[in-house]
């Protein structure tokens, strides 16, 4: 927003090399970056673009294999590259600090969060052992943590993801640094939490006149919160511009590609694909819900015994509430919905709302406490989860999982992974027949056939996602449950995978239950959407209707929390 | 807390019952006839029969078992035919000897291995790292009787620095009054520095022998688990916050890396306690391992059963201690318990 008066950080011609088994890899090449006092700069790029490595180089916390090969880093007059380790250590945390992705892992799991803040304060002589506790509680208070004197004693696992990120921010800001580097600070958090965390960072940094570098893969986020945006691709800066400008007239082809593939209002699925990509055969047209009912869920309930309340707390809890009902937690609280043949239904909500539990029950991986799940006229809720896996019915419902890497057996080749359901339920006999089917499936999902003999670690994220999809459609299912299938993918890969899913749905006549927290993605793929909160359905209807004219406050809140690129 | 311990102990009861049944059966199927063994080679069949009757071995197996269990419930482990004493007394005098040796060996080993492992992880790929690996591998690949004999040869026979390897005390010192059974502690309690020094001198070589052997698992486990923790996100956060290397390594990394190390320590301890027969033999140590082996060779049932049961109970207690240590180290474990 403000014209930078003086430069705080100046990175010139930075090159970072990593020694790997296959020789030296240049993760960052000739990068120039300046951050003015009080300025917020966004570094945007997909995985492997070198955006995180650049920031690690600035703090000199590259791991053993990495080294700054060339260039200069100047931070308020200090030559960071050539400074001694102890000088740099004084800078870290006191002048430059960092907020990381995955806040829970970023905190020491077995140390009280208050003590972790104290460690930093004491290290930089910002507190004496006598007043460290008071100052740590103050720091927690600043990041708007309720009851900070209680939270001081909490361990990271006792706090929610958003709360942990607040603690990490408190840790980073405890010594009032001049520069905050936020590395994907909100990835993995719910949209509303994301908004709260970002607003907090902006507010606190502005309050203290700090500069910020926001590293993100999300163009919308960068444009909403940054003064300037630096776009990186494969270790190089391809474009630097004011954020308003970059969205109005992106200069570089890569920037345009990134922008195209970001799901946004007003774009349909095909718009996401790169300009030079061949147009798919079927136009993306949403089917009107007119088919026969395939799945119908009624009054579905899943209860869990209350857990995770510590010994003394649990007894306190028991004394206060004498009702036995308080002993159980309703993860899914009497929901009913229907999926028609050929229809895509989106199930959205924040983490803990019960959407994954619902999908697990429909998949019959989890037994429902009560209620009915009718699949093609048969009540499958009555079948115990254990025996469902062997039934012929199991073929007709399949699932695609969130993490394409973790959901593949690392010792199975792609072909073996795809063939797995065929061996178990497919009834195909003979090595050649199965192989032929695998190749056919690979072609269907756009996976090059020669990649079939590779292991998961030899495949890219997008290729692994395709293997997961091929495995799910191997038995020609009628219902596929997609559990955030693109959450771990880069936007450009996500665009391609979403299009693939849409094409497959039409060519194979499947129905989708699409579980997601990303409303923009749901908007693109789903005919109808169900919004869940605290185990209940709060809103349900045609996607366009719900997302353009939400009826409940909660849906409005969810929509408002999404950062949109100004288009 | 107490209730948790009680619960844990209760879950161990079925395994203890299993141990009682299995050891009883195993000792009965062992080849060799204890009655014939104790009657001696010149005994007449009648004499052997007599002995068999007095031992109760003429009864049927179930009958024998019921009697055995009845005795156990009274705290009676039976009588050793070789030593002529009750098994309880034998174990009471011999277990502390083994435990003192093993504990001391483990402490010495830990004092060397843990800092070594940390250093090796922090300076991964350096000379220190390689030196660690070589020393640890050498230590574990040399059989304990060899290291033991070598030490005796060098320090007793050639240099004459250490006393004769003949048990827990040399002939001229007297054993301290029995309090814990650990001579080091008992002699200090009695204020008898003379016998403290004497027992320490006797302990030195077997302790070093055990320590050398157990260096490898502890060093390697410390190194591996430190490496994993050092590359984790929260160590990166700690470094990015400018914490000193000491704080990062000790407070942040090592405390988190301790869990697998503690597990290894427990495993090594329980293994050494019952299985260091060779060390006990080399140093004429009146420990429990050699006691059990001798009884086994003589088909002396009661001490073998008593030994196995004692070891089973020790394992249960040891595992409980380790679990409690886990709770001290890791707050997440406390919650689940």
């Amino acid at each position: 927003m403000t014209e930078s008066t003086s430069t705080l950080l100046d990175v010139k011609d930075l090159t970072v090399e990593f020694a790997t088994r296959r020789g030296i890899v240049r993760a960052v090449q000739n990068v120039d970056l300046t951050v003015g006092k009080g300025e917020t700069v966004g570094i945007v790029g997909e995985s492997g673009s070198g955006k995180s490595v650049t920031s690690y180089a600035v703090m000199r916390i590259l791991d053993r294999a990495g080294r700054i090969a060339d260039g200069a880093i100047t931070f308020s007059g200090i030559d960071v590259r050539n400074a001694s380790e102890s000088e740099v250590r004084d800078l870290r945390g006191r002048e430059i600090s960092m907020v990381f992705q995955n806040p829970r892992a970023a905190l020491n799991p077995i140390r009280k969060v208050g003590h972790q803040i104290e460690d930093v304060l004491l290290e930089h002589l910002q507190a004496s052992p006598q007043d460290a506790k008071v100052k740590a509680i103050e720091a927690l208070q600043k990041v708007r943590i309720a009851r900070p004197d209680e939270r001081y004693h909490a361990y990271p696992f006792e706090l929610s993801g958003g709360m942990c990120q607040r603690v990490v921010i408190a840790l980073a800001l405890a010594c009032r640094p001049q520069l905050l580097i936020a590395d994907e600070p909100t990835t993995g958090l719910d949209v509303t939490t994301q908004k709260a965390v970002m607003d907090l960072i902006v507010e606190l940094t502005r309050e203290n006149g700090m500069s910020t570098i926001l590293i993100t893969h999300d163009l919308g986020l960068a444009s909403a919160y940054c003064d300037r945006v630096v776009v990186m691709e494969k270790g190089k800066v391809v474009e630097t511009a004011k954020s308003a400008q970059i969205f109005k007239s992106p200069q570089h082809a890569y920037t345009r590609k990134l922008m195209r593939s970001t799901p946004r209002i007003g774009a349909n699925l095909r718009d996401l694909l790169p300009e030079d990509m061949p147009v798919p055969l079927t136009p993306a047209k949403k089917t009107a819900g007119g088919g026969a009912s395939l799945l119908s869920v009624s009054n579905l309930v899943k209860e869990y015994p209350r857990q995770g309340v510590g010994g003394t707390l649990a007894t306190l809890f028991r004394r206060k509430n004498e009702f036995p009902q308080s002993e159980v937690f309703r993860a899914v609280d009497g929901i009913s919905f229907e999926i028609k043949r050929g229809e895509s239904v989106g199930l959205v909500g924040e983490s803990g709302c019960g959407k994954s539990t619902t999908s697990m029950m429909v998949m019959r991986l989890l037994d429902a406490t009560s209620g009915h799940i009718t699949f093609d006229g048969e009540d499958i809720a009555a079948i115990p989860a254990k025996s469902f896996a062997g039934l012929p019915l199991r073929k007709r419902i399949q699932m695609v999982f969130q993490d394409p890497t973790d959901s593949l057996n690392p010792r199975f080749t792609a072909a073996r992974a795809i063939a797995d359901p065929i061996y178990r339920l497919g009834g195909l006999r003979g090595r050649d027949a199965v192989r032929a089917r695998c190749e056919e499936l690979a072609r269907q999902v756009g996976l090059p056939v020669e990649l079939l003999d590779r292991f998961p670690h030899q495949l890219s994220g997008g290729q692994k996602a395709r293997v997961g999809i091929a495995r799910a459609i191997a038995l020609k299912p009628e219902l596929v449950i997609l559990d955030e299938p693109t959450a771990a993918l880069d936007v450009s890969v996500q665009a391609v995978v979403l299009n693939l899913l849409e094409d497959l749905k039409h060519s194979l006549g499947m129905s989708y239950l699409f579980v997601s927290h990303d409303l923009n993605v749901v908007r693109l793929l789903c005919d109808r959407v169900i919004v869940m909160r605290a185990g209940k359905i709060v809103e349900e209807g045609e996607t366009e209707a719900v997302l353009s004219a939400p009826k409940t406050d909660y849906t409005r809140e969810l929509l408002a929390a999404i950062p949109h690129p100004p288009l | 807390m107490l209730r948790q311990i009680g619960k844990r102990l209760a879950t161990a009861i079925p395994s203890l019952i299993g141990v009682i049944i299995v050891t009883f059966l195993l000792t009965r199927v062992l080849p060799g006839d204890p009655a014939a063994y104790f009657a001696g080679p010149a005994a007449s069949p009648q004499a052997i029969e007599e002995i068999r009757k007095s031992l109760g071995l003429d009864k049927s197996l179930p009958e024998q078992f019921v009697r055995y269990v009845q005795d156990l419930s009274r705290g009676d482990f039976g009588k050793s035919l070789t030593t002529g004493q009750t098994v309880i007394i034998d174990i009471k005098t011999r277990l502390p000897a083994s435990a003192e040796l093993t504990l001391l060996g483990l402490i010495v080993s830990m004092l060397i291995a843990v800092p070594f492992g940390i250093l090796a992880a922090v300076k991964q790929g350096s000379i220190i790292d390689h030196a660690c690996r070589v020393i640890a591998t050498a230590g574990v690949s040399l059989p304990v009787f060899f290291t033991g004999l070598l030490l005796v040869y060098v320090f007793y026979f050639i240099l004459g620095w250490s006393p004769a390897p003949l048990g827990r005390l040399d002939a001229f010192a007297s054993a301290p009054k029995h309090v814990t059974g650990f001579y080091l502690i008992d002699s200090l309690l009695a204020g008898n520095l003379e016998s403290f020094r004497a027992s320490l001198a006797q302990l030195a070589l077997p302790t070093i022998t055990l320590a050398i052997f157990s260096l490898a698992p502890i060093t390697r486990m410390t190194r591996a688990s430190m490496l994993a923790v050092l590359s984790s996100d929260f160590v990166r956060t700690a470094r990015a916050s400018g914490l000193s290397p000491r704080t990062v390594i000790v407070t942040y990394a090592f405390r988190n890396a301790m869990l697998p190390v503690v597990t290894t320590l427990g495993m090594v301890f329980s293994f050494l306690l019952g299985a260091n027969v060779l060390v006990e033999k080399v140093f004429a140590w009146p420990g429990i391992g050699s006691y059990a082996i001798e009884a086994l060779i003589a088909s002396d049932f009661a001490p073998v059963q008593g030994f196995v049961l004692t070891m089973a109970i020790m394992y249960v207690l040891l595992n409980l201690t380790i679990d409690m240590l886990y709770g001290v180290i890791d707050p997440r474990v406390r919650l689940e318990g």
Side-chain angles (χ1 to χ4, degrees):
Chain A
M1 316 285 152
T2 49
E3 209 53 51
S4 60
T5 45
S6 58
T7 310
L8 181 66
L9 175 74
D10 190 15
V11 176
K12 277 219 159 58
D13 216 25
L14 178 72
T15 300
V16 178
E17 291 177 345
F18 280 86
T20 68
R21 253 182 276 170
R22 274 177 240 149
I24 285 172
V25 174
R26 293 198 156 183
V28 170
Q29 288 178 50
N30 308 97
V31 162
D32 293 325
L33 177 73
T34 58
V35 180
K37 281 216 166 79
E39 193 186 24
T40 303
V41 176
I43 305 182
V44 179
E46 295 186 299
S47 52
S49 63
K51 53 192 195 302
S52 292
V53 173
T54 306
S55 65
Y56 293 170
V58 168
M59 293 200 80
R60 287 244 320 251
I61 52 168
L62 290 167
D63 59 13
R64 213 180 298 271
R67 68 179 197 99
I68 300 172
D70 201 12
I73 301 168
T74 316
F75 175 80
S76 69
I78 302 164
D79 180 358
V80 176
R81 187 187 164 191
N82 297 313
S84 72
E85 179 59 30
S86 69
E87 278 176 272
V88 180
R89 208 164 64 226
D90 281 343
L91 285 182
R92 288 184 206 131
R94 206 182 64 195
E95 300 296 331
I96 315 175
S97 58
M98 206 155 175
V99 172
F100 297 93
Q101 185 178 353
N102 195 357
R104 192 167 281 134
L107 291 170
N108 187 343
I110 61 170
R111 200 165 168 77
K112 290 177 178 175
V113 295
H115 291 169
Q116 298 191 41
I117 296 174
E118 277 179 11
D119 286 340
V120 179
L121 287 169
L122 292 171
E123 182 74 40
H124 296 295
L125 305 175
Q126 301 288 311
S128 62
Q130 288 79 38
D131 64 357
K133 185 173 177 183
V134 178
K135 288 197 171 167
I137 292 174
E138 234 169 70
L140 287 172
Q141 200 160 17
K142 271 198 190 127
V143 292
R144 317 249 184 310
I145 285 180
R147 290 172 286 130
D149 35 352
E150 273 172 50
R151 303 289 191 213
Y152 172 91
H153 295 288
Y155 291 98
F157 73 96
E158 295 170 322
L159 302 173
S160 69
M163 196 81 88
C164 279
Q165 193 59 296
R166 282 168 198 267
V167 174
V168 175
I169 294 170
L171 201 71
L173 300 186
C175 298
R176 296 165 217 272
Q178 297 187 60
L179 175 65
L180 177 74
I181 302 175
D183 186 2
E184 304 265 11
T186 58
T187 307
L189 300 180
D190 285 324
V191 271
T192 50
T193 318
Q194 163 172 316
K195 186 167 166 19
V197 165
M198 278 316 298
D199 287 348
L200 181 71
I201 290 178
V202 168
E203 200 186 317
L204 291 176
T205 51
R206 204 159 285 164
E207 227 169 67
N208 298 322
M210 289 166 52
S211 313
T212 311
I213 297 178
L214 173 66
I215 297 168
T216 178
H217 65 281
D218 187 338
L219 269 176
L221 196 71
S223 70
Y225 290 100
C226 298
D227 304 324
R228 255 181 334 122
V229 174
V230 175
V231 182
M232 285 186 74
E233 184 198 9
K234 291 177 189 150
K236 288 183 180 147
V237 172
V238 295
E239 191 166 355
T240 307
K242 291 230 175 296
S243 60
Q245 209 173 339
I246 209 160
F247 289 98
K248 239 177 267 159
S249 57
Q251 299 300 309
H252 195 272
Y254 179 72
T255 317
R256 282 201 294 275
K257 182 183 159 208
L258 259 188
M259 287 185 55
R260 271 184 76 86
S261 52
T262 304
R264 59 203 181 269
I265 300 170
N268 74 28
L269 210 45
R270 301 310 184 209
D271 292 340
L272 264 51
L273 293 172
E275 293 149 87
D276 50 355
M277 202 140 188
V279 180
L281 301 171
T282 48
K285 210 173 69 185
K286 288 187 176 164
T287 42
S293 168
L294 178 67
L295 179 88
S296 122
V297 168
S298 66
N299 283 320
L300 195 63
V301 174
K302 178 70 193 176
E303 288 177 343
Y304 287 106
R306 279 216 188 266
Q307 269 178 352
V309 194
T312 47
L313 267 174
T315 46
L316 273 177
F317 197 77
R318 241 169 256 144
R319 258 172 236 156
K320 271 182 201 161
N321 294 310
E322 279 155 332
F323 305 105
Q325 279 93 330
S326 63
E327 297 293 314
V328 295
F329 164 70
R330 284 203 162 188
V332 174
D333 194 358
I335 63 167
S336 307
F337 63 91
E338 193 181 43
I339 301 176
K340 297 191 174 74
R341 281 190 189 277
E343 191 184 35
S344 299
V345 174
L347 193 57
V348 300
E350 304 197 315
S351 53
C353 74
K355 58 186 193 301
S356 291
T357 312
T358 305
S359 69
M360 299 262 279
M361 282 191 286
V362 172
M363 190 68 242
R364 300 303 301 117
L365 294 169
L366 210 61
D367 283 322
T369 307
S370 67
H372 300 283
I373 303 168
T374 315
F375 180 79
D376 201 17
E378 196 172 337
D379 186 1
I380 58 172
I383 308 168
K386 270 183 199 155
S387 51
F388 187 74
L391 296 182
L393 203 62
R394 175 66 177 76
K395 275 168 44 168
R396 298 163 67 187
I397 312 177
Q398 295 290 336
M399 191 158 184
V400 177
F401 300 91
Q402 179 166 10
D403 192 311
T405 310
D406 282 352
S407 58
L408 292 176
N409 185 335
R411 291 175 186 278
F412 276 7
T413 61
R416 180 67 186 79
I418 296 171
D420 205 37
I422 303 176
Y423 283 128
R424 282 173 200 278
L425 292 160
L428 262 186
R429 302 241 168 245
R431 182 186 285 241
D432 294 339
V434 172
R435 177 75 191 185
R437 176 74 181 130
C438 283
E439 286 181 8
E440 185 191 340
L441 285 163
R443 273 189 289 274
Q444 263 178 336
V445 298
L447 181 74
V449 173
E450 60 270 21
L451 297 184
L452 274 178
D453 294 312
R454 290 204 185 170
F455 288 93
H457 70 270
Q458 297 166 314
L459 299 170
S460 72
Q463 287 161 349
K464 278 181 279 200
R466 286 173 202 266
V467 173
I469 294 168
R471 179 174 60 181
I473 63 168
L475 298 171
K476 302 186 179 125
E478 287 151 71
L479 175 66
V480 177
I481 297 167
L482 303 157
D483 185 4
E484 311 235 16
T486 59
L489 302 175
D490 279 329
V491 276
S492 58
V493 182
Q494 165 176 286
V496 178
V497 170
L498 288 177
N499 273 285
L500 169 70
L501 287 170
E502 179 71 10
D503 292 341
L504 286 172
K505 189 184 108 174
H506 286 286
S507 58
L508 302 174
M510 297 181 290
S511 303
Y512 287 158
L513 178 61
F514 190 93
V515 180
S516 180
H517 71 273
D518 190 337
L519 286 167
N520 275 331
V521 173
V522 169
R523 184 196 304 270
L524 294 166
L525 202 68
C526 298
D527 309 310
R528 275 193 310 122
V529 61
I530 297 166
V531 183
M532 276 185 80
R533 183 186 200 182
K536 289 200 165 83
I537 294 177
V538 293
E539 191 164 356
E540 184 179 1
E542 300 289 319
T543 307
E544 273 316 313
V546 171
L547 297 190
S548 54
K551 288 193 194 70
T552 60
D553 290 341
Y554 181 65
T555 316
R556 265 193 288 275
E557 196 186 316
L558 276 184
L559 283 165
I562 308 171
H564 291 292
L567 284 169
Chain B
M1 193 65 185
L2 275 175
R3 237 178 66 198
Q4 265 184 39
I5 294 174
K7 238 192 219 166
R8 276 300 307 268
L9 288 177
T11 55
I13 288 174
S15 23
L16 287 182
I17 291 174
V19 166
I20 291 172
I21 295 172
V22 170
T23 45
F24 176 83
L25 289 176
L26 275 182
T27 47
R28 292 312 186 271
V29 298
L30 281 177
D33 183 354
Y37 185 90
F38 286 103
S44 63
Q46 285 90 346
I48 293 178
E49 207 51 44
E50 200 88 327
I51 290 177
R52 178 166 296 139
K53 210 166 214 171
S54 73
L55 291 176
L57 294 172
D58 55 337
K59 305 245 167 48
S60 69
L61 265 190
E63 237 174 303
Q64 286 186 43
F65 183 68
V66 169
R67 264 181 59 184
Y68 171 56
V69 173
Q70 277 170 348
D71 287 348
L72 270 188
S73 63
R74 284 199 305 270
D76 180 4
F77 279 38
K79 214 168 164 187
S80 167
L81 295 174
T82 25
T83 63
Q85 281 178 310
T86 59
V87 173
I88 288 276
I89 288 180
D90 276 345
I91 289 179
K92 249 188 207 158
T93 50
R94 282 170 169 262
L95 185 62
S98 280
E100 185 175 33
L101 174 59
T102 312
L103 258 178
L104 201 64
L106 207 64
I107 290 171
V108 170
S109 170
M110 205 171 71
L111 289 179
I112 301 168
V114 169
F116 247 16
I118 294 176
L119 215 61
V122 172
K123 306 226 178 273
Q124 190 196 357
S126 69
I127 296 174
I128 298 174
D129 188 12
H130 291 300
C132 264
R133 184 173 334 197
V134 170
I135 293 170
T137 316
V140 79
S141 31
L142 295 175
V144 279
F145 67 85
F146 177 77
T147 345
L149 285 176
L150 190 72
L151 289 175
V152 169
Y153 179 70
V154 173
F155 290 99
Y156 169 64
F157 186 71
I158 296 185
L159 297 173
W161 293 359
S162 88
L166 293 170
R168 302 179 75 184
L169 277 177
D170 59 49
F172 308 108
S174 56
K177 198 168 150 276
H178 183 100
V179 182
T180 57
F182 287 21
Y183 280 7
L184 287 183
I185 296 174
D186 287 354
S187 59
L188 280 184
L189 286 178
N192 187 347
L193 284 179
E194 192 60 33
S195 58
F196 177 79
R197 222 185 21 243
S199 56
L200 190 63
Q202 292 288 343
L203 268 170
L205 291 189
T207 300
I208 294 170
T209 310
L210 281 185
I212 289 175
F213 183 69
S214 53
L215 268 183
I218 304 172
T219 321
R220 300 310 287 168
M221 189 49 83
T222 309
R223 179 181 178 273
S225 115
M226 271 302 278
L227 276 181
V229 172
L230 280 175
S231 63
S232 66
D233 282 5
F234 66 86
V235 168
R236 188 184 59 189
T237 312
R239 287 174 61 206
S241 314
L243 298 186
S244 68
R246 219 190 91 92
T247 316
V248 172
I249 289 166
V250 178
T251 317
Y252 280 73
F254 180 61
R255 270 199 62 193
N256 275 282
M258 248 157 74
L259 288 179
V261 177
V262 167
T263 314
T264 316
L265 278 180
M267 270 159 44
V268 172
F269 179 73
S270 48
F271 171 73
L272 288 182
L273 188 60
N276 57 2
V277 184
L278 290 172
V279 178
E280 291 180 0
K281 284 278 173 209
V282 169
F283 293 95
W285 202 259
I288 195 168
S290 47
Y291 174 66
I293 289 285
E294 275 157 21
L296 195 63
I297 291 168
S299 295
D300 194 357
F301 294 161
V304 175
Q305 289 167 344
F307 166 77
V308 175
L309 195 59
T310 313
M311 291 320 276
I313 293 169
M314 295 284 294
Y315 268 61
V316 169
L317 292 179
L318 192 71
N319 276 320
L320 186 71
T321 317
I322 290 172
D323 280 359
M324 273 156 52
L325 263 179
Y326 265 38
V328 172
I329 297 168
D330 192 338
R332 288 166 293 185
V333 179
R334 248 173 268 168
L335 197 82
E336 285 156 18

